[in-house]
Amino acid sequence: MSNFDDFKVYGDYHTHTKYSDGFTTVEENLIAATKNGLSSIGFSDHGFGNPNFASLTREKAKKQKEEIDALRDKYPHLKIYQAIEADLVSVDGDLDMNEEDYELFDYVIVGVHRFAKTPSFKSWWHLYKRAFFPIFTKPSKKELAKNTATWIKMITRNKIAILAHFNSIFLAEAKPVAECCAAHNVLFEINSKHLSEIKPVFEDVLKTDVKFIVSSDGHRKNEVGNFDKIKKFLENYPEALDRIVNLKPGEIEFNK
């Protein structure tokens, strides 16, 4: 892509519905995707470790799949994916998923959310203390290194496609994490709602070979397919455009 006159996003692969903490239905998101000229959309509701009222359960995931399948013929112009936004829940890089859960989804996104269950207090403190206790604002170099090691364990141990909103709550060193993503074909997300977190580290990430994906993280229908904030942010980094996979037509081969 040579300039921003050609800036077109073909797919929004990180959206939420009422099956987790979104405010819209599956079909409302499909209508929004159509209105905004998308050719693909992914539903990625929050994972099993979060409170049930604000997340997928395995039963809700199956029900959502049935609903998506029933709507495919009505929206033949859209490639529709069912994904999940899983959570990093332990110091050792574990997710809130079992091995058999992967079969339910077309791809897996991973982030950190403060209300996900952890297997121990040690992991809870390691991952979430900054979200609940603002006094812990700036991690030491030792803590950053430990956090970075946790991200790398997660990426190397799990079959994930997208690393979501990096440095939201759980801070780490961007460059080695991005290098690990590149080595394992994991896409590094540029998220409309979390630009303030990526801005301080984006130049370090650009020094790696990692590929990017832009996402709305839409929880409302007016957010799905809306990338205005990302476009404005990227005007400072035109060199990133050719590395953003959903600025190109065609299906994306997600890590699975």
Side-chain angles (χ1 to χ4, degrees):
M1 180 179 296
S2 58
N3 59 65
F4 282 88
D5 293 334
D6 302 322
F7 189 91
K8 175 177 171 54
V9 180
Y10 288 87
D12 192 351
Y13 299 97
H14 184 166
T15 74
H16 295 270
T17 72
K18 290 181 178 180
Y19 280 97
S20 64
D21 63 345
F23 294 88
T24 53
T25 66
V26 167
E27 186 160 22
E28 285 173 327
N29 279 14
L30 295 175
I31 292 169
T34 300
K35 179 181 177 182
N36 286 318
L38 299 182
S39 58
S40 300
I41 182 170
F43 295 97
S44 53
D45 282 300
H46 290 287
F48 305 133
N50 288 273
N52 286 353
F53 69 88
S55 70
L56 285 175
T57 61
R58 290 167 180 86
E59 291 73 24
K60 284 198 284 185
K62 292 173 183 176
K63 184 178 178 181
Q64 185 185 52
K65 177 178 173 53
E66 292 173 359
E67 184 175 355
I68 290 171
D69 288 344
L71 287 165
R72 292 187 193 278
D73 288 342
K74 190 175 178 180
Y75 297 88
H77 55 286
L78 287 172
K79 174 69 175 177
I80 306 171
Y81 297 86
Q82 186 186 20
I84 188 171
E85 187 177 10
D87 269 281
L88 171 63
V89 295
S90 83
V91 176
D92 295 320
D94 297 308
L95 303 183
D96 56 343
M97 295 180 67
N98 300 322
E99 185 66 29
E100 57 269 24
D101 292 330
Y102 286 91
E103 298 303 316
L104 294 171
F105 304 103
D106 295 311
Y107 58 90
V108 175
I109 301 174
V110 174
V112 173
H113 302 87
R114 69 189 70 194
F115 296 111
K117 297 175 185 176
T118 61
S120 66
F121 177 78
K122 177 183 178 182
S123 287
W124 183 91
W125 185 255
H126 180 59
L127 292 167
Y128 306 141
K129 66 182 178 187
R130 191 159 284 99
F132 292 96
F133 301 100
I135 189 172
F136 298 105
T137 53
K138 294 182 180 180
S140 65
K141 289 184 178 180
K142 182 178 179 180
E143 185 180 0
L144 274 177
K146 183 178 180 182
N147 293 356
T148 302
T150 294
W151 275 122
I152 289 173
K153 288 177 186 176
M154 186 280 294
I155 294 164
T156 57
R157 290 181 54 195
N158 298 284
K159 296 177 288 188
I160 72 165
I162 300 171
L163 179 63
H165 44 70
F166 178 73
N167 268 4
S168 171
I169 299 176
F170 186 58
L171 306 183
E173 299 169 24
K175 188 177 179 183
V177 172
E179 287 173 339
C180 187
C181 285
H184 291 84
N185 298 314
V186 174
L187 300 169
F188 197 99
E189 184 185 60
I190 302 172
N191 185 303
S192 287
K193 295 185 174 179
H194 293 272
L195 290 175
S196 62
E197 292 142 11
I198 197 174
K199 283 178 181 178
V201 300
F202 196 62
E203 290 187 7
D204 286 337
V205 175
L206 280 173
K207 294 174 184 176
T208 74
D209 294 325
V210 75
K211 292 184 179 179
F212 300 103
I213 191 166
V214 298
S215 304
S216 72
D217 198 355
H219 286 63
R220 293 173 171 82
K221 59 186 178 183
N222 64 306
E223 296 170 343
V224 174
N226 187 335
F227 301 99
D228 292 344
K229 291 180 181 178
I230 290 178
K231 181 180 179 181
K232 184 176 180 180
F233 167 67
L234 289 172
E235 286 174 356
N236 296 310
Y237 304 101
E239 67 272 31
L241 296 182
D242 287 334
R243 292 163 58 181
I244 299 173
V245 296
N246 50 337
L247 294 186
K248 303 174 180 68
E251 293 184 23
I252 297 172
E253 292 187 12
F254 287 112
N255 227 9
K256 197 175 186 309

